[in-house]
Amino acid sequence: MSDKNDKKMNGAASLVRSLEHAGVEVMFGIPGGAILPAYDPLYDSTIRHILVRHEQGAGHAATGYAQATGRVGVCIATSGPGATNLVTPIADAQMDSVPMVAITGQVPSGAIGTDAFQEADIRGITMPITKHNYLVTNPADIPQAIAEAFHVAASGRPGVVLVDIAKDALTAETTFKWPTSISLPGYRDHSQPKQGDVDDAAALIAQSSRPVLYVGGGVIKANASRELLALAEASGIPVVTTLMARGAFPDSHPLHLGMPGMHGTVAAVTALQKSDLLITLGARFDDRVTGKLSTFAPVAKVIHADIDPAEIGKNRKADVAIVGDLKLTINLLLPALKAQYAKARPDFTVWIKQVNSWRSTFPLGYDIPKDGALSPQYVIERLGKISGPDTIFTAGVGQHQMWASQFISYEKPRTWLNSGGLGTMGYAVPAAMGAKVGAPDTTVWAIDGDGCFQMTNQELVTCALNNIPIKVAVINNESLGMVRQWQTLFYNERYSNTDLHSKRIPDFTKLADAMGCIGLRCERPEDVDKTIEKAMSINDQPVVVDFGVFRDAMVWPMVAAGTSNDEIMVARELAPDWDSQEL
Amino acid sequence: MKLERTSHIISVLVENRSGVLARVSALFSRRAYNIEGLSVGPTQDPEISRITIVVSVEGHALDQVIQQLDKLVNVIAIEEMHESSSVQIELLLVRVSVTAENQEKLQALVAQHGGKVAEMAPTSAIVSLTDTSAKIEALISALNPFGILELTQSGLVAMRRTI
Ligand SMILES: Cc1ncc(C[n+]2csc(CCOP(=O)(O)OP(=O)(O)O)c2C)c(N)n1
């Protein structure tokens, strides 16, 4: 039987047709021998392919695209080294629950397992770092594998699916048939929350006196920011947003206490510690949030809402678990809570007064260097102010990332993209490229460290050639700053191998110029605003601003790794002055 | 607080696809749990296989592993098998030394344990037994005096009892 959907073609054409059917508009990649057959039909496809300079860039670009748009990001690479170059961004995206499909060519099926030229068992390599993966050796299986890959990547807790396709499956004749249904008997849909669990949660909230909404990246994944706002306002409960959730709830909102965790605000960290009920929404009690787990929020009961049942009770026991999509969950919780409040409205006045006093007594701050040097926090703060709340910011990993999470006010979801789970240096530039491709009318700033920038800046060439005018702020402290900070605090200021000399070499403005970008430099506080404005005025080319900053700035507050959140320090050897506080 | 590690039997129904055993066992090896026994085989449905895993872990960790297993796309169902409510069988093959003098004694001993002598060679014999772990252990101890030359055991398979 055949309908007009059934067409004879080779596996490569079938792959491209499948990607078109899956709704792909753009993918990032580099061709090579094993995937080459697919690049031929791609030449005629409606899909935009962006030729990157390193496959790691392709993977992070797909991630940035997915995080900015909520759609599935797609990257493509050849076998062997092409595929192994995707390993880091695959692990990165999977850790941060980003929907991504990675397509790799594989050596011909007859050669698999023989250490053939450019053979790597990428399915085996990526098994522990993907949500699912496929090795396709029969061309007839291509459409089904692609359809399943997009379904699995995007549904439930999003994640990465890799489809590895043997070269002979790409070259062999086949019949293209887009599957009308997907049958994955072992893939369960957990999106519908149970009303009974929601009712139990509402009852717990109504009995609590010091509740906190502990909000994680899942709220953004579920597009549930509006619902969260309604819940917070209706319940009057303060909110903390984790590193992955910055932007899920407006920073300017009076109920927002900021970010919890290792470099969180005193108010957010302390509110969790003193809370009697954590209403956990799409967060996972990561060690960077909890500090020493056994001392985390010691008296709190826990409501844990997540679409992934494996997160429930993984690190912290839940008193009430709600497995389901967060949008649906909050939409059920709101009326249930209103019904509870109608019976007896809990009084959080004392609690709100308390958290507000922590917030006003211990605001985020930083020291301005006395010698007129530029402070990195100031640069980042000005970037946020001048560029405004619609801007998408990406960050690398290190001090600049923490400052970008602290000193920029995020008002909207999907405006703050970073590598939270894996902590991947090199994320910022390619992720900004992907975000800009997904949101071409939005200003995209990559806030990068001079260390991180030197890992993936080659994608600026891709940006320059493909009209992807991102802006990069290199927070140049001449060092691997975050590591240096640990050396300052925990290794007697012995700065082993953290000096990058990047105010001498390379010259970032010349490098920018060589890559087809505009390079700007700023070293004085009084030049910051005009330099940012200059960068903002250039929209037809990527811009790189080398901000030469003070190298001894540190990220505060800090809870040292492995210690209790109660040990939070607001500056070196300085704990918050609790005496002024009625606890 | 010392966490109690005990052996658990986990029966996992999986889609019969290449790579599925690697996915399942990787979840255990990632956490450095030692798999004590493993068996994979067909079920009544040719598309579905059953993996039976015996693993020694503490209860909370076991719950975690089961949740993680459940996330694998090719895993259809997971069930923990308890001693009281399931039939649990494994297979033993053991080669022992024999002499012309003690061959008969061996035959008798094996028969008494419900096993079989699968091969009788002039100086050695292969003995098989399909039974519970306890019965298998009992036979092994009984065979010890003969001199065990080689021993192999299958992973356990289990089926829930109806009553
Ligand atoms: C790929 C990778 N390698 C190493 C690290 C460890 N690491 C974390 S932060 C950091 C320093 C980053 O330096 P830089 O980009 O200059 O940022 P800064 O901390 O100075 O703002 C390093 C090396 C990492 N996170 N990722």
Side-chain angles (χ1 to χ4, degrees):
Chain A
M1 213 180 68
S2 108
D3 60 46
K4 61 179 186 305
N5 228 348
D6 299 13
K7 284 241 172 64
K8 284 240 171 288
M9 58 182 76
N10 70 9
S14 173
L15 169 63
V16 173
R17 280 287 291 273
S18 300
L19 293 168
E20 288 167 358
H21 271 72
V24 176
E25 54 169 34
V26 62
M27 49 199 217
F28 303 87
I30 302 186
I35 196 67
L36 202 47
Y39 272 78
D40 194 59
L42 193 57
Y43 207 39
D44 303 321
S45 170
T46 54
I47 297 172
R48 179 180 181 197
H49 177 276
I50 294 173
L51 176 63
V52 297
R53 291 300 179 269
H54 188 299
E55 289 85 354
Q56 183 183 357
H60 291 317
T63 302
Y65 172 87
Q67 285 176 308
T69 63
R71 295 195 284 270
V72 177
V74 185
C75 54
I76 179 164
T78 195
S79 67
T84 55
N85 273 349
L86 284 180
V87 168
T88 296
I90 287 174
D92 180 275
Q94 175 67 10
M95 279 283 252
D96 285 343
S97 307
V98 177
M100 179 163 102
V101 169
I103 313 260
T104 49
Q106 182 53 277
V107 300
S109 52
I112 291 176
T114 65
D115 299 327
F117 177 63
Q118 292 195 326
E119 182 186 359
D121 174 12
I122 196 65
R123 186 179 61 148
I125 290 170
T126 58
M127 256 182 207
I129 53 168
T130 52
K131 186 170 175 186
H132 193 49
N133 60 15
Y134 294 85
L135 170 61
V136 180
T137 53
N138 178 352
D141 295 341
I142 291 173
Q144 186 75 37
I146 294 296
E148 289 181 9
F150 279 80
H151 174 67
V152 170
S155 58
R157 178 178 184 170
V160 181
V161 181
L162 174 129
V163 185
D164 192 29
I165 310 175
K167 186 171 185 177
D168 52 331
L170 293 174
T171 51
E173 281 298 303
T174 181
T175 307
F176 171 79
K177 193 169 191 334
W178 186 243
T180 48
S181 68
I182 287 174
S183 150
L184 292 166
Y187 186 62
R188 269 166 287 281
D189 176 4
H190 294 290
S191 51
Q192 187 59 47
K194 294 204 182 72
Q195 183 69 49
D197 296 338
V198 171
D199 291 340
D200 291 348
L204 262 193
I205 296 171
Q207 287 157 23
S208 70
S209 48
R210 298 186 307 279
V212 180
L213 285 158
Y214 161 29
V215 172
V219 168
I220 294 175
K221 301 289 169 351
N223 295 315
S225 289
R226 209 176 322 150
E227 289 73 13
L228 171 64
L229 183 64
L231 176 67
E233 291 186 339
S235 65
I237 297 173
V239 178
V240 302
T241 53
T242 68
L243 183 64
M244 290 310 295
R246 307 286 295 113
F249 190 77
D251 270 347
S252 58
H253 199 284
L255 284 169
H256 199 173
L257 305 180
M259 181 171 79
M262 179 176 274
H263 294 296
T265 64
V266 173
V269 171
T270 312
L272 291 178
Q273 286 307 93
K274 304 293 176 196
S275 169
D276 70 345
L277 179 65
L278 305 183
I279 304 151
T280 313
L281 304 174
R284 59 187 178 89
F285 296 90
D286 178 71
D287 53 274
R288 283 294 190 261
V289 166
T290 63
K292 191 176 171 199
L293 188 60
S294 59
T295 64
F296 175 67
V299 299
K301 290 199 167 161
V302 171
I303 296 168
H304 196 169
D306 204 290
I307 196 152
D308 180 357
E311 285 302 337
I312 310 287
K314 184 180 77 177
N315 294 334
R316 172 73 179 243
K317 191 179 140 299
D319 298 278
V320 173
I322 309 172
V323 175
D325 173 78
L326 279 170
K327 201 187 194 104
L328 300 177
T329 299
I330 301 176
N331 280 338
L332 287 180
L333 185 55
L334 199 52
L337 197 60
K338 282 181 177 159
Q340 287 284 349
Y341 277 31
K343 283 189 254 164
R345 194 182 167 92
D347 183 2
F348 301 137
T349 328
V350 180
W351 177 232
I352 293 291
K353 207 176 133 224
Q354 174 71 86
V355 298
N356 281 341
S357 110
W358 288 327
R359 184 174 38 198
S360 54
T361 317
F362 307 111
L364 287 169
Y366 54 90
D367 294 330
I368 304 279
K370 289 184 187 59
D371 59 359
L374 195 50
S375 91
Q377 299 97 325
Y378 175 74
V379 171
I380 289 168
E381 195 170 56
R382 294 308 299 157
L383 275 168
K385 285 267 158 44
I386 294 172
S387 223
D390 287 318
T391 305
I392 295 174
F393 289 94
T394 72
V397 169
Q399 292 182 311
H400 64 281
Q401 171 194 28
M402 291 299 117
W403 291 320
S405 74
Q406 294 174 331
F407 292 103
I408 293 175
S409 181
Y410 298 98
E411 299 296 317
K412 300 174 185 183
R414 304 190 184 282
T415 57
W416 162 246
L417 317 183
N418 85 132
S419 166
L422 198 66
T424 312
M425 287 175 71
Y427 169 90
V429 168
M433 169 169 81
K436 184 73 182 171
V437 168
D441 300 327
T442 304
T443 301
V444 180
W445 270 104
I447 297 181
D448 217 358
D450 49 309
C452 293
F453 183 68
Q454 292 185 72
M455 289 200 180
T456 50
N457 64 62
Q458 77 286 338
E459 296 314 334
L460 283 167
V461 174
T462 313
C463 290
L465 288 170
N466 290 280
N467 187 28
I468 309 170
I470 64 166
K471 305 180 198 305
V472 183
V474 180
I475 307 300
N476 183 356
N477 55 6
E478 315 165 79
S479 43
L480 297 169
M482 184 57 95
V483 181
R484 192 170 191 274
Q485 173 165 344
W486 286 42
Q487 289 172 331
T488 304
L489 297 174
F490 313 122
Y491 292 90
N492 293 320
E493 305 185 12
R494 285 163 49 81
Y495 299 118
S496 170
N497 291 282
T498 45
D499 196 344
L500 292 173
H501 305 279
S502 22
K503 283 184 185 162
R504 285 196 294 123
I505 298 178
D507 181 327
F508 288 126
T509 61
K510 280 191 187 154
L511 183 61
D513 188 50
M515 291 191 288
C517 307
I518 302 287
L520 304 173
R521 176 168 288 130
C522 174
E523 285 165 336
R524 300 186 312 168
E526 56 270 35
D527 298 336
V528 169
D529 282 18
K530 53 176 184 276
T531 312
I532 295 173
E533 274 150 17
K534 174 92 196 286
M536 295 292 294
S537 72
I538 302 166
N539 288 312
D540 54 353
Q541 241 179 313
V543 188
V544 177
V545 187
D546 179 6
F547 287 101
V549 301
F550 171 56
R551 76 178 331 188
D552 291 323
M554 287 208 244
V555 183
W556 299 109
M558 180 169 186
V559 178
T563 69
S564 166
N565 281 348
D566 295 329
E567 316 288 313
I568 189 169
M569 303 299 267
V570 288
R572 199 166 180 190
E573 284 159 20
L574 189 67
D577 176 14
W578 298 118
D579 291 349
S580 61
Q581 297 290 308
E582 26 175 304
L583 287 180
Chain B
M1 191 170 59
K2 201 173 159 282
L3 297 174
E4 275 298 308
R5 284 199 163 197
T6 46
S7 284
H8 298 269
I9 301 157
I10 305 163
S11 173
V12 187
L13 275 184
V14 297
E15 280 185 87
N16 192 358
R17 299 215 190 175
S18 87
V20 63
L21 180 61
R23 289 178 207 280
V24 168
S25 54
L27 280 180
F28 292 88
S29 60
R30 172 182 180 189
R31 289 165 172 255
Y33 298 154
N34 198 10
I35 293 179
E36 295 171 351
L38 177 73
S39 80
V40 190
T43 64
Q44 70 281 10
D45 182 340
E47 313 245 298
I48 294 175
S49 304
R50 185 183 298 279
I51 303 178
T52 311
I53 304 155
V54 183
V55 63
S56 170
V57 285
E58 149 281 317
H60 173 73
L62 179 73
D63 292 345
Q64 264 301 304
V65 173
I66 289 179
Q67 293 286 6
Q68 306 272 5
L69 276 175
D70 202 34
K71 278 168 72 167
L72 294 178
V73 171
N74 298 144
V75 168
I76 298 167
I78 307 160
E79 189 178 7
E80 187 178 355
M81 294 288 183
H82 298 281
E83 201 141 2
S84 54
S85 57
S86 64
V87 177
Q88 307 181 349
I89 297 292
E90 53 195 300
L91 168 68
L92 168 78
L93 287 176
V94 56
R95 190 191 310 277
V96 292
S97 296
V98 287
T99 58
E101 291 74 46
N102 66 11
Q103 282 191 3
E104 265 175 42
K105 192 174 154 213
L106 178 77
Q107 299 271 18
L109 180 87
V110 170
Q112 187 194 327
H113 282 262
K116 283 193 192 122
V117 176
E119 180 199 75
M120 186 63 86
T123 60
S124 72
I126 299 176
V127 172
S128 77
L129 176 66
T130 308
D131 213 319
T132 61
S133 311
K135 293 274 176 60
I136 282 179
E137 267 169 43
L139 176 60
I140 295 171
S141 323
L143 290 175
N144 252 329
F146 288 84
I148 291 176
L149 302 173
E150 195 182 349
L151 186 151
T152 182
Q153 231 174 300
S154 74
L156 175 153
V157 292
M159 190 172 280
R160 194 168 14 84
R161 293 179 189 274
T162 317
I163 42 168

